[in-house]
Amino acid sequence: MKIGRFVVDGHIHCGKKDAAKKNSKSGVTGIMAEVESTDNSAQALWDMDAYGIDMGILLPSFIGTHASEYADICRKHPDRFRTCALDTETRLACAHGEKKWKMSDSLKEIDGYLRADRDIFCGIGEFPPGNMTLVRDRPSVSKRFKEWCEIAEFCVSWDIPCFNHEYNPYNIDQPLSMMMEVCRKYPDFKVIIAHGGGYKGYMIERACQLAGDFENVYLETGYWKAEYYEYALRNPDVGASKLIWGGGDTGSHLWYPQINPGAVLTETNRVLHNRNNWVWTGTREVHYQPNYYGWTTHQIYKLLDMNMCTQDEIDLIVGGNACRLYKLPVPEAVTFMTGRPDRNIMPEEIMYGSGRSPRTGFTCPPNVDFISGVGINLGSDLDPWNRSDEPWNEE
């Protein structure tokens, strides 16, 4: 049985091998290494058919993937795939030492993809411009905030969402605080928190706070075990309408679901820890297609078994929200829940419309950019994050 009436996998990688490219000009090793590009969409499609997945969102990622090749996969299977855009060629040139990274170059590249085929490219991701696997000078907090403002303005003008993948277990607060200020300044900016904040409960709970405060912040749930959905579903300001289900890196041989037997405090699902073999061999990929859907679809079935939510809500989580956010082609007969008061599902005019709802009606004062925790307006001579003696803070 399908997990929903129209199912969309929000996190697919099927345009790369996970082995580092031989003789790469970048000289970068580890997780930042340049990868081999390849089209392994046949494997993703096989699993999608096996588990009843109707459509999938492709996400270019590591250096060496090419947004144009992801678009080609979509053109071969227009009824099954759409792809996010990424500044893949700009990133590659920076990794090869051919240029220094600039936001203007990244947005110009992404703009070119959108102008060439808006029906194929539906967002920005998996990584936002300026972040993750990118060879660049380290920015100050104030500079990165200004970069996010550029990204927000770009996405609002194109009416597309952008992934945020800047958090980690050590800095979960700062990226979310920065995103809060960006969303206050640009309330129509649509943001998807990659992996819903992470793979541990406390990280996901913090991300749910952000999603609850802003109408256009969504959580992608690719690594979530069923119990983690409670953080979102018990929060009356989040609920099912803010969640985008994913297979958890479908099409990749790098991550694979594991079970970690333990006691009360032990996480039962291991995600990042499955790469500890890199220390010994440097090998990243396994030689088979890991069965992501077996684990991730089972987590959705468990939601019903635990009386966590209704099937109507699950239909939103596993497909309806992605269809709305990415403007996917849905069969005319397929409908999704709206305006149901007992489940705190927003009415259609908010769910399918644009503009400020009561939740996002507050904004920053004019001409004031502020990041929580800094305590001083950005750009001030007193701003400790804006020191002129830091070489990476140059415009």
Side-chain angles (χ1 to χ4, degrees):
M1 183 180 72
K2 291 176 62 177
I3 55 175
R5 54 164 51 115
F6 192 88
V7 183
V8 180
D9 181 349
H11 199 123
I12 297 181
H13 298 298
C14 57
K16 65 179 174 66
K17 295 181 180 179
D18 289 311
K21 183 177 182 179
K22 295 180 180 179
N23 303 318
S24 169
K25 293 191 297 182
S26 72
V28 180
T29 59
I31 194 171
M32 298 279 285
E34 180 181 349
V35 298
E36 292 273 3
S37 63
T38 188
D39 179 358
N40 63 337
S41 57
Q43 291 180 328
L45 284 167
W46 178 271
D47 280 353
M48 289 170 67
D49 290 339
Y51 286 90
I53 313 301
D54 297 288
M55 292 194 72
I57 305 300
L58 307 184
L59 300 177
S61 55
F62 293 123
I63 294 171
T65 56
H66 300 281
S68 59
E69 295 180 359
Y70 278 69
D72 289 339
I73 294 173
C74 296
R75 294 186 185 102
K76 287 192 296 184
H77 308 283
D79 59 331
R80 305 302 299 276
F81 293 126
R82 293 294 184 272
T83 185
C84 283
L86 189 63
D87 52 337
T88 52
E89 308 316 303
T90 300
R91 289 165 173 262
L92 188 60
C94 292
H96 289 174
E98 298 168 2
K99 65 190 303 183
K100 296 271 286 186
W101 182 83
K102 293 191 301 184
M103 177 63 75
S104 57
D105 291 338
S106 290
L107 295 182
K108 181 179 180 180
E109 180 182 344
I110 294 172
D111 185 75
Y113 296 134
L114 292 167
R115 291 182 185 278
D117 203 333
R118 181 65 178 84
D119 291 336
I120 291 295
F121 290 101
C122 59
I124 297 178
E126 178 185 5
F127 310 135
N131 169 252
M132 290 287 286
T133 73
L134 173 66
V135 178
R136 66 166 296 186
D137 294 333
R138 181 165 64 96
S140 66
V141 174
S142 59
K143 182 174 177 60
R144 187 56 184 156
F145 176 77
K146 294 171 186 176
E147 291 175 356
W148 265 113
C149 290
E150 291 184 69
I151 295 170
E153 290 178 1
F154 179 88
C155 289
V156 170
S157 69
W158 275 102
D159 191 22
I160 57 172
C162 180
F163 272 76
N164 181 316
H165 206 311
E166 300 203 345
Y167 59 84
N168 64 51
Y170 305 104
N171 77 336
I172 185 70
D173 291 325
Q174 187 186 86
L176 294 180
S177 294
M178 181 179 292
M179 195 51 45
M180 178 189 72
E181 298 298 344
V182 174
C183 290
R184 286 180 64 183
K185 189 170 183 179
Y186 302 95
D188 294 329
F189 177 36
K190 299 173 183 176
V191 182
I192 303 172
I193 307 298
H195 308 296
Y199 58 99
K200 290 183 177 292
Y202 75 91
M203 299 171 69
I204 293 169
E205 188 171 22
R206 295 305 304 275
C208 284
Q209 284 185 278
L210 181 67
D213 286 337
F214 296 94
E215 208 73 74
N216 289 314
V217 176
Y218 296 83
L219 304 164
E220 178 251 306
T221 67
Y223 290 160
W224 288 15
K225 61 180 181 178
E227 289 76 6
Y228 288 161
Y229 282 84
E230 186 173 357
Y231 289 117
L233 295 173
R234 76 182 180 190
N235 186 329
D237 294 323
V238 183
S241 61
K242 308 300 288 294
L243 305 181
I244 306 290
W245 179 80
D249 291 332
T250 309
S252 173
H253 295 192
L254 177 56
W255 313 114
Y256 31 92
Q258 293 191 31
I259 300 298
N260 187 28
V264 175
L265 297 179
T266 303
E267 300 288 346
T268 58
N269 65 318
R270 291 193 295 177
V271 179
L272 292 184
H273 308 296
N274 62 12
R275 66 185 186 194
N276 54 12
N277 62 317
W278 296 6
V279 176
W280 307 114
T281 67
T283 300
R284 301 204 292 183
E285 67 173 339
V286 294
H287 299 291
Y288 72 97
Q289 177 60 61
N291 191 331
Y292 295 92
Y293 287 135
W295 187 82
T296 54
T297 55
H298 182 64
Q299 304 314 303
I300 299 300
Y301 291 130
K302 286 175 66 177
L303 295 181
L304 287 176
D305 293 339
M306 294 188 294
N307 293 321
M308 192 92 70
C309 58
T310 68
Q311 184 62 52
D312 284 337
E313 289 174 290
I314 287 176
D315 287 342
L316 285 178
I317 295 169
V318 303
N321 296 326
C323 291
R324 169 169 49 93
L325 193 60
Y326 292 116
K327 300 179 174 60
L328 302 180
V330 181
E332 184 178 355
V334 176
T335 60
F336 299 104
M337 176 170 56
T338 59
R340 183 165 163 175
D342 64 317
R343 309 308 297 178
N344 193 39
I345 303 299
M346 64 188 76
E348 283 194 36
E349 58 270 22
I350 295 177
M351 181 173 284
Y352 293 99
S354 61
R356 291 162 176 77
S357 72
R359 184 184 305 180
T360 55
F362 58 95
T363 60
C364 282
N367 303 317
V368 174
D369 294 336
F370 180 81
I371 294 179
S372 299
V374 175
I376 301 174
N377 292 341
L378 297 179
S380 165
D381 293 337
L382 300 177
D383 180 2
W385 299 104
N386 198 32
R387 292 171 52 189
S388 60
D389 59 342
E390 295 178 357
W392 55 80
N393 193 38
E394 297 176 357
E395 294 295 336

